[in-house]
Amino acid sequence: MSPFPVRTGVLGLALLTAAATPATAVPAAPTPAPATATRAATGTVALSPTVEEQRLERAAPREILRRSGFDDVAPDFARTLARVRSAPQARAAVLREGSALWRRAVDRVQGRGPAGGDLSRDDDRPLYWARLGMTRELRTWRPRFALGEEERARLMAALERSSRGQDAIGFPRGEGLKRVLVTGFDPFTLDRDARISNPSGAVALALDGTVIDTPAGPARVETAVFPVRWADFGEGTVERTLRPHLPRTDLFATVSQGRVGRFDVERFNGAWRGGFPDNDDVGRTETVPVSDPASQPQWTTTTLPYADVVAADTGRFPVYDNTSVTEIPAGGTRPVVRPDGPTPGSTARAGGGGDYLSNEIAYRATLLRDRLGLHGALPGGHVHTPVLRFGADNADPATGTVTDPEFVRNRRDIVAQVRSIVAVAVGAAERPRDAKGAGASRG
């Protein structure tokens, strides 16, 4: 592998910049095979594990599950499925067990109940790998009744939503409490290093259901986690999750891992997918697919109070107002980097957050805000966290351990700083709009 500073830079930039080829696999890990289907005597079509699910066989995921106590999740779920005798029972079981996994992960991170092992409580990885264990069990399940492909797909979707907190978002009614929605991501580039954690996922688990003190008063935070898969985004998972809640939210922040050693508030988001492989080793190079493409803008903007966030002392990492984009200028044919944002009539090739799924969630969430008529009323946009580093003597995935003190400290500091950034943003958003420093729409 590359020396540590280069390697971490590549990991962070994977959310920001497209790559021509997939990430290099760790030599000891076999190349996953594509999923295939087999038909049981009942007529049920069972699928083989996906590329993402096959990584469960590696040593690091197994150790993470064991050291968190989450190694019982998939076996328990398999036993539950074995008792199911009908499709309605299956749906009820999937929703119950998926929701239980989300609550268990949140409780572990927030210090409720037993830790289940010696892995640091702030770790987001047990949720990720345990969910994959569940999806693998459901995908390969051969029930005693007929289960068609469409019904299994609906069960898989229900499991994804419930185990990610996407259908558990619920703000209390009443006045005097601000409502904040924060999203995170799964780990990614796992063929490069299966030990990887995503600090944005840790943020989601740490903040879900909590109340933050802000200059504008207490703020209740609700969270959800999203997959690093192009297909899910194309199928509308972001809009389906956020649409019911944005009109009743006072501020939202989509969060992901970004650059080394810094936070960025991304000013502009672009309507372009750059093709970097996702967690299923699938790439997409195209305009971001959304409903009503005829009215789709090339660019959307943050309405977070970025000037206040950048000026505030929120933690040990510097915070930047990032205005850089890559565009094809009007009448041009080649991409050009613009440090001060897009020019009129240009075509997007990368937002401030790049051309991967962090840019896409920012684009989709802010486009949804605008299509709901909330651009001038709802502060929202994307925040990139620093890359989460292992200790310098634990950089090589071939010889390193799944955790170390610097790794834990970095993750905790990132989570704490996101909490502070949210508090500053909520407080600043209360002032008149001309004092907030929110971006104006372009393109």
Side-chain angles (χ1 to χ4, degrees):
M1 302 296 289
S2 301
F4 179 72
V6 175
R7 187 180 65 83
T8 53
V10 171
L11 292 177
L13 289 173
L15 270 181
L16 305 175
T17 309
T21 58
T24 302
V26 176
T31 301
T36 57
T38 58
R39 186 176 298 274
T42 60
T44 295
V45 175
L47 302 175
S48 65
T50 64
V51 167
E52 190 173 19
E53 290 162 353
Q54 289 180 60
R55 297 189 185 101
L56 281 161
E57 300 306 316
R58 299 180 181 183
R62 293 198 300 271
E63 182 178 353
I64 289 165
L65 290 170
R66 177 180 57 80
R67 294 180 60 181
S68 62
F70 277 54
D71 54 350
D72 63 354
V73 171
D76 285 352
F77 186 53
R79 286 188 285 271
T80 296
L81 291 177
R83 295 191 294 268
V84 167
R85 295 294 180 268
S86 68
Q89 286 184 12
R91 179 170 177 79
V94 162
L95 290 172
R96 181 179 66 251
E97 298 301 317
S99 297
L101 176 60
W102 172 253
R103 294 311 330 160
R104 179 175 172 180
V106 170
D107 287 347
R108 185 180 192 277
V109 169
Q110 296 185 13
R112 291 184 290 271
D118 66 346
L119 205 62
S120 174
R121 276 188 177 267
D122 55 284
D123 206 312
D124 61 301
R125 297 172 295 176
L127 171 63
Y128 174 70
W129 292 111
R131 180 194 304 113
L132 282 179
M134 293 179 72
T135 61
R136 183 173 65 176
E137 292 294 340
L138 183 56
R139 197 179 310 276
T140 60
W141 178 42
R142 295 173 180 268
R144 299 181 183 181
F145 56 91
L147 184 70
E149 292 182 54
E150 291 185 4
E151 181 58 36
R152 192 187 297 267
R154 285 192 290 269
L155 292 175
M156 296 295 300
L159 178 55
E160 288 281 349
R161 291 193 300 270
S162 60
S163 64
R164 295 178 176 281
Q166 293 176 0
D167 59 3
I169 299 169
F171 292 103
R173 297 183 180 276
E175 302 296 327
L177 193 67
K178 299 297 180 184
R179 297 166 176 82
V180 177
L181 185 56
V182 174
T183 68
F185 271 107
D186 289 346
F188 66 107
T189 62
L190 294 155
D191 287 333
R192 195 178 296 278
D193 187 346
R195 305 173 301 160
I196 284 173
S197 165
N198 194 321
S200 69
V203 164
L205 293 172
L207 298 190
D208 187 56
T210 64
V211 176
I212 298 176
D213 291 329
T214 82
R220 168 66 176 261
V221 183
E222 291 289 313
T223 71
V225 172
F226 286 91
V228 181
R229 294 190 299 254
W230 295 110
D232 298 68
F233 276 55
E235 291 165 3
T237 184
V238 174
E239 293 82 357
R240 183 169 49 248
T241 302
L242 302 186
R243 184 179 288 108
H245 306 291
L246 289 192
R248 296 188 293 276
T249 299
D250 295 296
L251 182 142
F252 71 88
T254 54
V255 183
S256 67
Q257 179 177 248
R259 300 166 178 88
V260 174
R262 59 184 277 182
F263 278 87
D264 290 277
V265 182
E266 305 296 354
R267 189 90 71 90
F268 303 102
N269 317 298
W272 185 251
R273 295 174 156 188
F276 190 83
D278 63 11
N279 276 350
D280 266 332
D281 286 347
V282 174
R284 291 283 185 269
T285 305
E286 60 189 354
T287 300
V288 171
V290 298
S291 62
D292 191 16
S295 68
Q296 177 180 11
Q298 285 295 301
W299 306 99
T300 64
T301 64
T302 189
T303 48
L304 290 172
Y306 53 82
D308 296 89
V309 171
V310 169
D313 180 10
T314 54
R316 71 179 172 100
F317 297 101
V319 183
Y320 293 89
D321 166 26
N322 184 31
T323 59
S324 179
V325 302
T326 302
E327 66 173 19
I328 298 176
T333 59
R334 295 186 177 183
V336 176
V337 175
R338 300 288 190 190
D340 297 320
T343 57
S346 66
T347 301
R349 281 300 177 266
D355 55 14
Y356 197 42
L357 287 159
S358 57
N359 169 76
E360 183 157 335
I361 197 171
Y363 178 84
R364 288 179 178 278
T366 50
L367 178 60
L368 177 62
R369 173 204 63 198
D370 296 349
R371 285 180 166 180
L372 290 171
L374 299 171
H375 182 94
L378 176 59
H382 194 76
V383 176
H384 262 124
T385 77
V387 172
L388 179 56
R389 295 172 179 250
F390 286 99
D393 59 352
N394 189 32
D396 188 344
T399 60
T401 60
V402 299
T403 190
D404 62 61
E406 184 177 347
F407 180 69
V408 172
R409 172 178 174 255
N410 287 338
R411 185 168 52 211
R412 288 175 174 171
D413 286 353
I414 290 170
V415 170
Q417 193 160 350
V418 172
R419 184 184 288 109
S420 296
I421 287 171
V422 168
V424 170
V426 171
E430 283 294 284
R431 298 204 305 275
R433 181 167 175 76
D434 60 4
K436 294 177 189 176
S441 179
R442 296 195 193 184

